[in-house]
Amino acid sequence: MKSEGRGKKSEGREKKEEVEIFTLFPSFHLSLSSSPSNTLVIAGVDEVGRGALFGPVVAAACILPDEALGELASCGVRDSKQLSSAARSRLAVKIRAVAVDCQIGAASVREIDRLNILQASLLAMKRAILKLKVTPDLCLVDGNQRIPNLAIEQETMIKGDARSIQIAAASIVAKVWRDELIVRLAVKYPEYDLTNNKGYGTAKHKLALERCGVSVFHRQSFSPCQK
């Protein structure tokens, strides 16, 4: 009976977390432009937040028209980690404006703790792909891990965000979406310095964990969050 009670409590906490995430910052919805029927529809897929201590892991799947690839490259679209916050925000707006389709997927903190961070990251990427209104012929997936049980052809690409405009675009969109979510959550959890660290394990963040303990959005399977 006690185990069943804990299970219901955990389920309720997870549901509350999911509602809070998508109420604070719902996924955007894009109007779709037409895609020529004789071209291969490619989606770039990437995730962000794997190493964070706080918050969900977030992925984006992005389909870009061929004619926009050169323009996006010349505008500076590349690995999101190489860009400033201001540049990422500017480019995310540009990417969403020209994309055929672009969607966000996330895996919650409870899913991360239950599945492990790798499997949760793959789940977030799969969710982003399945939200696409245009079904891609091929998904270019950043990294070396294939997405399980995906009924769409996929190709893994190590350092894909440096090699593929589609993956780089997805990395930018996912990073901006997650950062904005964390900044909004920072209002409710000011003690963790989330506005500055975006949920990653800085010294100030770890000190706050020692002093205040964990919040519902902390990944308790990660050692700094364990009591």
Side-chain angles (χ1 to χ4, degrees), residues 31 42 94 130 149 170 190 193 211 214 222:
S31 59
I42 298 174
K94 177 71 173 177
L130 294 180
N149 304 313
D193 193 38
R211 290 177 174 173
V214 298
F222 283 39

Side-chain angles (χ1 to χ4, degrees), residues 80-156:
S80 64
K81 295 184 291 295
Q82 298 177 0
L83 298 168
S84 68
S85 176
R88 285 194 297 266
S89 295
R90 173 180 57 81
L91 289 170
V93 172
K94 177 71 173 177
I95 291 163
R96 294 199 300 264
V98 303
V100 173
D101 198 359
C102 189
Q103 298 294 335
I104 290 289
S108 73
V109 167
R110 302 306 152 205
E111 289 173 321
I112 292 169
D113 288 341
R114 186 173 71 247
L115 299 173
N116 75 44
I117 186 57
L118 172 59
Q119 294 306 316
S121 298
L122 295 172
L123 177 60
M125 289 193 281
K126 182 177 181 180
R127 285 172 172 166
I129 294 167
L130 294 180
K131 282 185 178 180
L132 291 168
K133 305 300 188 298
V134 174
T135 303
D137 299 306
L138 173 67
C139 292
L140 298 179
V141 181
D142 186 51
N144 62 359
Q145 297 289 326
R146 292 177 61 83
I147 298 170
N149 304 313
L150 181 67
I152 298 172
E153 187 175 350
Q154 58 181 300
E155 180 180 330
T156 59

Side-chain angles (χ1 to χ4, degrees), residues 183-227:
V183 168
R184 294 188 182 206
L185 290 171
V187 176
K188 187 172 181 179
Y189 304 99
E191 61 271 30
Y192 301 108
D193 193 38
L194 298 169
T195 299
N196 292 313
N197 62 48
K198 303 302 186 292
Y200 287 85
T202 60
K204 193 170 181 179
H205 191 173
K206 291 178 180 178
L207 182 61
L209 283 170
E210 293 177 9
R211 290 177 174 173
C212 307
V214 298
S215 73
V216 69
F217 285 101
H218 277 96
R219 303 173 182 179
Q220 296 188 42
S221 58
F222 283 39
S223 57
C225 300
Q226 295 169 0
K227 296 179 181 179

